[in-house]
Amino acid sequence: MTIILIYTHDGYEVICIFTLHAINLLYVDQSTGTGFSFSSDNRDLRHNEDRVSNDLYDFLQAFFTEHPQYAKNDFYIMGESYVGHYILAFAARVHRGNKAKEGIHINLKACLQLYLI
């Protein structure tokens, strides 16, 4: 499937053309207490990158345990705006876990940080 996006910003036209092959996409609303994520227990709230990245890493380990058919796929971490702080810490956490042979190996290929203007 080829997707073409055309949008204008301050009178300039930008055309993005890319081809998608079969992909699997997993959305995570992070961290607890932001966006649509909530908890009735304040101990679940995270206030630093280490705790957020550990939660995300634990989530992925549980996800790949439950759905092992996806574990060998290439894995990309992407986020926009302020979440960029967390995705970099998360990518570092995945790298540390892989290096230490913790749990299921996550086939991390890239970390993408986007800023919308």
Side-chain angles (χ1 to χ4, degrees):
M1 170 193 317
T2 299
I3 298 176
I4 301 173
L5 301 175
I6 301 174
Y7 60 94
T8 59
H9 178 70
D10 294 335
Y12 295 97
E13 186 173 276
V14 178
I15 301 174
C16 301
I17 302 173
F18 53 94
T19 302
L20 294 178
H21 301 282
I23 63 169
N24 301 293
L25 187 60
L26 179 64
Y27 288 94
V28 178
D29 188 23
Q30 257 295 336
S31 61
T32 305
T34 63
F36 295 106
S37 298
F38 67 93
S39 175
S40 59
D41 187 343
N42 284 340
R43 292 175 293 181
D44 293 332
L45 301 180
R46 302 296 182 245
H47 300 288
N48 65 52
E49 294 169 3
D50 287 336
R51 292 185 73 188
V52 170
S53 62
N54 285 331
D55 281 354
L56 286 167
Y57 184 79
D58 292 344
F59 166 77
L60 273 187
Q61 289 296 317
F63 178 84
F64 288 135
T65 297
E66 194 67 31
H67 306 281
Q69 68 271 27
Y70 299 114
K72 297 293 181 193
N73 290 356
D74 291 347
F75 189 78
Y76 298 84
I77 300 171
M78 185 174 74
E80 64 88 23
S81 191
Y82 190 80
V83 80
H85 297 274
Y86 295 119
I87 63 169
L88 296 175
F90 178 38
R93 177 63 180 98
V94 168
H95 177 70
R96 283 194 313 274
N98 286 344
K99 189 174 179 181
K101 299 188 185 319
E102 293 177 34
I104 297 169
H105 178 85
I106 298 170
N107 197 19
L108 181 63
K109 292 296 182 184
C111 179
L112 309 168
Q113 185 175 359
L114 306 172
Y115 288 97
L116 303 177
I117 300 173

